[in-house]
PDB file of all heavy atoms in Angstrom:
ATOM      1  N   LEU A 139      -8.899  -9.806   3.920  1.00  0.00           N
ATOM      2  CA  LEU A 139      -8.374 -10.629   2.842  1.00  0.00           C
ATOM      3  C   LEU A 139      -6.966 -11.056   3.083  1.00  0.00           C
ATOM      4  O   LEU A 139      -6.497 -12.255   2.856  1.00  0.00           O
ATOM      5  CB  LEU A 139      -8.630  -9.834   1.613  1.00  0.00           C
ATOM      6  CG  LEU A 139      -8.097 -10.472   0.305  1.00  0.00           C
ATOM      7  CD1 LEU A 139      -8.850 -11.837   0.110  1.00  0.00           C
ATOM      8  CD2 LEU A 139      -8.213  -9.761  -0.961  1.00  0.00           C
ATOM      9  N   ALA A 140      -6.089 -10.053   3.527  1.00  0.00           N
ATOM     10  CA  ALA A 140      -4.641 -10.312   3.676  1.00  0.00           C
ATOM     11  C   ALA A 140      -4.459 -11.413   4.777  1.00  0.00           C
ATOM     12  O   ALA A 140      -3.681 -12.211   4.668  1.00  0.00           O
ATOM     13  CB  ALA A 140      -3.863  -9.007   4.023  1.00  0.00           C
ATOM     14  N   ARG A 141      -5.195 -11.262   5.869  1.00  0.00           N
ATOM     15  CA  ARG A 141      -5.173 -12.288   6.941  1.00  0.00           C
ATOM     16  C   ARG A 141      -5.545 -13.783   6.390  1.00  0.00           C
ATOM     17  O   ARG A 141      -4.955 -14.664   6.777  1.00  0.00           O
ATOM     18  CB  ARG A 141      -6.010 -11.801   8.186  1.00  0.00           C
ATOM     19  CG  ARG A 141      -5.520 -10.639   8.812  1.00  0.00           C
ATOM     20  CD  ARG A 141      -6.476 -10.293  10.056  1.00  0.00           C
ATOM     21  NE  ARG A 141      -6.073  -9.089  10.583  1.00  0.00           N
ATOM     22  CZ  ARG A 141      -5.586  -8.921  11.813  1.00  0.00           C
ATOM     23  NH1 ARG A 141      -5.468  -9.955  12.548  1.00  0.00           N
ATOM     24  NH2 ARG A 141      -5.288  -7.775  12.342  1.00  0.00           N
ATOM     25  N   VAL A 142      -6.647 -13.833   5.694  1.00  0.00           N
ATOM     26  CA  VAL A 142      -7.019 -15.021   5.091  1.00  0.00           C
ATOM     27  C   VAL A 142      -6.116 -15.661   4.222  1.00  0.00           C
ATOM     28  O   VAL A 142      -5.807 -16.901   4.344  1.00  0.00           O
ATOM     29  CB  VAL A 142      -8.376 -14.930   4.415  1.00  0.00           C
ATOM     30  CG1 VAL A 142      -8.754 -16.166   3.725  1.00  0.00           C
ATOM     31  CG2 VAL A 142      -9.547 -14.615   5.348  1.00  0.00           C
ATOM     32  N   GLN A 143      -5.431 -14.804   3.382  1.00  0.00           N
ATOM     33  CA  GLN A 143      -4.447 -15.276   2.392  1.00  0.00           C
ATOM     34  C   GLN A 143      -3.250 -15.760   3.195  1.00  0.00           C
ATOM     35  O   GLN A 143      -2.633 -16.765   2.932  1.00  0.00           O
ATOM     36  CB  GLN A 143      -3.979 -14.170   1.508  1.00  0.00           C
ATOM     37  CG  GLN A 143      -5.052 -13.846   0.560  1.00  0.00           C
ATOM     38  CD  GLN A 143      -4.576 -12.675  -0.397  1.00  0.00           C
ATOM     39  OE1 GLN A 143      -4.050 -11.773  -0.032  1.00  0.00           O
ATOM     40  NE2 GLN A 143      -5.120 -12.865  -1.678  1.00  0.00           N
ATOM     41  N   ARG A 144      -2.905 -15.057   4.306  1.00  0.00           N
ATOM     42  CA  ARG A 144      -1.747 -15.580   5.187  1.00  0.00           C
ATOM     43  C   ARG A 144      -2.011 -16.948   5.830  1.00  0.00           C
ATOM     44  O   ARG A 144      -1.236 -17.827   5.919  1.00  0.00           O
ATOM     45  CB  ARG A 144      -1.331 -14.536   6.174  1.00  0.00           C
ATOM     46  CG  ARG A 144      -0.517 -13.235   5.687  1.00  0.00           C
ATOM     47  CD  ARG A 144      -0.079 -12.319   6.667  1.00  0.00           C
ATOM     48  NE  ARG A 144       0.574 -13.004   7.983  1.00  0.00           N
ATOM     49  CZ  ARG A 144       1.769 -13.494   8.036  1.00  0.00           C
ATOM     50  NH1 ARG A 144       2.629 -13.380   6.941  1.00  0.00           N
ATOM     51  NH2 ARG A 144       2.218 -13.986   9.198  1.00  0.00           N
ATOM     52  N   ALA A 145      -3.286 -16.934   6.311  1.00  0.00           N
ATOM     53  CA  ALA A 145      -3.632 -18.235   7.024  1.00  0.00           C
ATOM     54  C   ALA A 145      -3.619 -19.441   6.001  1.00  0.00           C
ATOM     55  O   ALA A 145      -3.395 -20.643   6.433  1.00  0.00           O
ATOM     56  CB  ALA A 145      -5.098 -18.085   7.607  1.00  0.00           C
ATOM     57  N   GLN A 146      -3.739 -19.123   4.768  1.00  0.00           N
ATOM     58  CA  GLN A 146      -3.848 -20.222   3.753  1.00  0.00           C
ATOM     59  C   GLN A 146      -2.402 -20.381   3.237  1.00  0.00           C
ATOM     60  O   GLN A 146      -2.170 -21.274   2.374  1.00  0.00           O
ATOM     61  CB  GLN A 146      -4.742 -19.887   2.567  1.00  0.00           C
ATOM     62  CG  GLN A 146      -6.192 -19.797   2.865  1.00  0.00           C
ATOM     63  CD  GLN A 146      -7.196 -19.298   1.834  1.00  0.00           C
ATOM     64  OE1 GLN A 146      -6.715 -18.748   0.889  1.00  0.00           O
ATOM     65  NE2 GLN A 146      -8.418 -19.634   2.069  1.00  0.00           N
ATOM     66  N   GLY A 147      -1.372 -19.660   3.729  1.00  0.00           N
ATOM     67  CA  GLY A 147      -0.104 -19.984   3.271  1.00  0.00           C
ATOM     68  C   GLY A 147       0.395 -19.001   2.202  1.00  0.00           C
ATOM     69  O   GLY A 147       1.564 -19.121   1.780  1.00  0.00           O
ATOM     70  N   ASP A 148      -0.505 -18.177   1.754  1.00  0.00           N
ATOM     71  CA  ASP A 148       0.056 -17.144   0.632  1.00  0.00           C
ATOM     72  C   ASP A 148       0.960 -16.101   1.369  1.00  0.00           C
ATOM     73  O   ASP A 148       0.934 -15.936   2.565  1.00  0.00           O
ATOM     74  CB  ASP A 148      -1.114 -16.473   0.061  1.00  0.00           C
ATOM     75  CG  ASP A 148      -1.984 -17.557  -0.771  1.00  0.00           C
ATOM     76  OD1 ASP A 148      -1.389 -18.537  -1.300  1.00  0.00           O
ATOM     77  OD2 ASP A 148      -3.187 -17.350  -0.921  1.00  0.00           O
ATOM     78  N   GLU A 149       1.420 -15.190   0.455  1.00  0.00           N
ATOM     79  CA  GLU A 149       2.192 -14.022   1.006  1.00  0.00           C
ATOM     80  C   GLU A 149       1.685 -12.876   0.503  1.00  0.00           C
ATOM     81  O   GLU A 149       2.326 -12.238  -0.536  1.00  0.00           O
ATOM     82  CB  GLU A 149       3.691 -14.309   0.685  1.00  0.00           C
ATOM     83  CG  GLU A 149       4.368 -15.549   1.315  1.00  0.00           C
ATOM     84  CD  GLU A 149       5.790 -15.762   0.859  1.00  0.00           C
ATOM     85  OE1 GLU A 149       6.440 -14.971   0.230  1.00  0.00           O
ATOM     86  OE2 GLU A 149       6.287 -16.808   1.289  1.00  0.00           O
ATOM     87  N   PRO A 150       0.647 -12.283   0.908  1.00  0.00           N
ATOM     88  CA  PRO A 150       0.052 -11.038   0.452  1.00  0.00           C
ATOM     89  C   PRO A 150       0.980  -9.943   0.693  1.00  0.00           C
ATOM     90  O   PRO A 150       1.726  -9.906   1.641  1.00  0.00           O
ATOM     91  CB  PRO A 150      -1.294 -10.928   1.193  1.00  0.00           C
ATOM     92  CG  PRO A 150      -1.111 -11.622   2.519  1.00  0.00           C
ATOM     93  CD  PRO A 150      -0.049 -12.805   2.118  1.00  0.00           C
TER      94      PRO A 150
END
Side-chain angles (χ1 to χ4, degrees):
L139 179 60
R141 286 177 191 250
V142 168
Q143 288 176 325
R144 280 186 48 79
Q146 293 175 343
D148 293 330
E149 297 178 7

